[in-house]
Amino acid sequence: MFPLCTTLCQESLFSPSTLAFIAEKMEFPEIEFDNEYYWEDMFQITDGEHIAAGSRPTMRHQSVKKQLPAVPDSETQYNSQKMLERRQAPVVNGTTSYGPFFLEYSLLAEYNQLLKQRLPGVHVLPSARSALLWFGVLFIRQGLYQEGIFKFTLSIPENYPDGDCPRLIFDPPIFHPIVDPVSGELDVKRTFTKWKRNVNHIWQVLLYARRIFYKIDTKSPSNPQAAVLYEQDLDLFRDKVTETIKLCKSKLYDPAKTDDPHEIVFSQWDPEIHEKARDAMLGVQRRKQSEQSVSTSKSAQDSGLSWVKPGTMDTFIEDDTATA
């Protein structure tokens, strides 16, 4: 007999036959009656009722008829199964993919951070077709790779920022110890072994891509030939670097490889177009310089500094009594 029934017997609340009936109901709550299914509610005793010792309680038997729902059609069953499969789909690499809106917002925030960093010589533009693809170009102004202009693409995983680190691929491939000579992919994972959300950012990958041209690393190289030449024959390494710089410059004016309007493409100098753009950029720069000089002069006047007459070395101070 169930522990509950034993307890009730000890307290002399129910007779043994009643306890056996309750135990049967507790074990088999759903019974068949006249070929129909009924849900038998348990016998209830309202709170506050007192039962004398040795007497049998008054039982209220409630029975509510429950009908089974209609069998769904095949299309409904198929759609339900698909929804269940999507919910139970395994997570790739132990990560959770962001929804399209959250992903787009996250990448927009990353691009804004990149603009604020103002990385010298790094120009990047997201694709107009997909936010997961960015086009870029690197200008190297000093070091062994001086005068190099290297175009690249940055591919971002779909489950960013919970997945792997972005992939950076130079096109055409460049001669460098940690750049694959065939695919042109930079070994980003040597620095970002595991991508950490809210810790690692895309601008850091671009900063690393710029830094490899100034601080060359030859450990675990993707291009063993380049690593050996850099360590053993620096002159031959310089020759190889010069060749790769010339190769990249020769392909600067090639047509776009995709139909994406944001792909970075270089064009030959056209005075009707480029001179206007140059004058506009220089004009903005001159205005900024003039504004800075004006603000400097105002601060100098406020601080009581003396001035030098143009064309001479004579200093003078403005007479406060004359201005008063």
Side-chain angles (χ1 to χ4, degrees):
M1 187 175 291
F2 293 99
L4 175 60
C5 297
T6 305
T7 304
L8 294 177
C9 284
Q10 293 175 355
E11 296 180 0
S12 302
L13 295 178
F14 297 93
S15 64
S17 60
T18 303
L19 291 173
F21 184 76
I22 293 176
E24 180 183 2
K25 291 297 181 179
M26 294 176 65
E27 187 175 0
F28 305 100
E30 187 172 305
I31 62 174
E32 184 177 0
F33 180 75
D34 291 340
N35 297 326
E36 295 289 342
Y37 280 91
Y38 291 84
W39 186 268
E40 298 291 346
D41 291 341
M42 297 301 299
F43 297 101
Q44 300 177 353
I45 300 176
T46 59
D47 296 337
E49 291 183 353
H50 300 280
I51 303 173
S55 62
R56 299 183 62 181
T58 302
M59 302 180 184
R60 290 184 296 275
H61 180 268
Q62 297 179 355
S63 178
V64 181
K65 184 177 180 180
K66 296 291 183 178
Q67 295 184 354
L68 296 175
V71 179
D73 54 13
S74 58
E75 183 178 359
T76 304
Q77 294 182 10
Y78 176 79
N79 294 334
S80 301
Q81 182 65 22
K82 288 297 182 182
M83 292 178 62
L84 184 61
E85 290 177 357
R86 284 196 295 267
R87 291 179 180 179
Q88 298 179 350
V91 180
V92 180
N93 294 333
T95 58
T96 303
S97 298
Y98 273 55
F101 297 104
F102 291 100
L103 176 61
E104 185 176 357
Y105 177 82
S106 177
L107 293 177
L108 179 61
E110 288 285 350
Y111 189 71
N112 287 334
Q113 287 185 354
L114 171 62
L115 296 179
K116 293 179 180 179
Q117 295 299 321
R118 298 181 179 271
L119 301 180
V122 181
H123 300 271
V124 179
L125 190 64
S127 168
R129 309 293 186 211
S130 172
L132 299 174
L133 179 65
W134 294 10
F135 300 101
V137 60
L138 274 169
F139 295 88
I140 308 301
R141 300 189 175 99
Q142 60 183 0
L144 294 174
Y145 289 85
Q146 186 176 1
E147 298 184 358
I149 305 175
F150 306 120
K151 296 173 64 176
F152 65 88
T153 56
L154 187 72
S155 300
I156 305 169
E158 294 182 356
N159 55 351
Y160 182 87
D162 295 320
D164 294 333
C165 59
R167 299 174 56 196
L168 194 146
I169 301 175
F170 290 98
D171 186 21
I174 63 176
F175 186 79
H176 194 281
I178 59 175
V179 176
D180 190 280
V182 179
S183 64
E185 182 173 358
L186 172 64
D187 186 8
V188 179
K189 290 187 176 181
R190 67 170 50 221
T191 300
F192 304 92
T193 55
K194 184 179 180 180
W195 191 263
K196 299 178 181 179
R197 181 175 57 175
N198 298 329
V199 175
N200 301 129
H201 300 281
I202 295 179
W203 69 266
Q204 296 172 340
V205 177
L206 298 173
L207 178 63
Y208 170 68
R210 176 181 179 272
R211 188 176 298 168
I212 66 169
F213 297 102
Y214 301 99
K215 185 179 180 181
I216 299 176
D217 185 10
T218 58
K219 296 180 181 179
S220 302
S222 301
N223 188 343
Q225 180 188 6
V228 171
L229 290 179
Y230 179 77
E231 293 178 349
Q232 300 180 3
D233 194 343
L234 190 58
D235 292 335
L236 184 56
F237 181 82
R238 286 194 180 97
D239 295 339
K240 292 288 186 179
V241 169
T242 302
E243 292 178 4
T244 194
I245 292 175
K246 291 181 179 179
L247 175 63
C248 293
K249 284 185 176 181
S250 66
K251 295 182 176 296
L252 280 180
Y253 303 108
D254 290 350
K257 295 185 177 181
T258 65
D259 59 348
D260 196 306
H262 288 181
E263 181 179 355
I264 298 178
V265 180
F266 290 83
S267 60
Q268 298 288 346
W269 175 264
D270 187 352
E272 296 182 358
I273 299 176
H274 298 111
E275 282 188 358
K276 295 180 180 179
R278 183 186 63 180
D279 294 341
M281 289 187 293
L282 293 178
V284 173
Q285 185 176 3
R286 294 191 187 97
R287 285 196 298 272
K288 290 183 178 180
Q289 292 177 352
S290 61
E291 291 174 358
Q292 291 177 356
S293 63
V294 170
S295 62
T296 304
S297 63
K298 289 182 179 179
S299 62
Q301 291 178 2
D302 296 337
S303 61
L305 298 178
S306 60
W307 295 84
V308 178
K309 293 182 179 180
T312 66
M313 297 299 294
D314 299 334
T315 60
F316 69 94
I317 300 176
E318 185 177 2
D319 189 359
D320 294 338
T321 59
T323 57

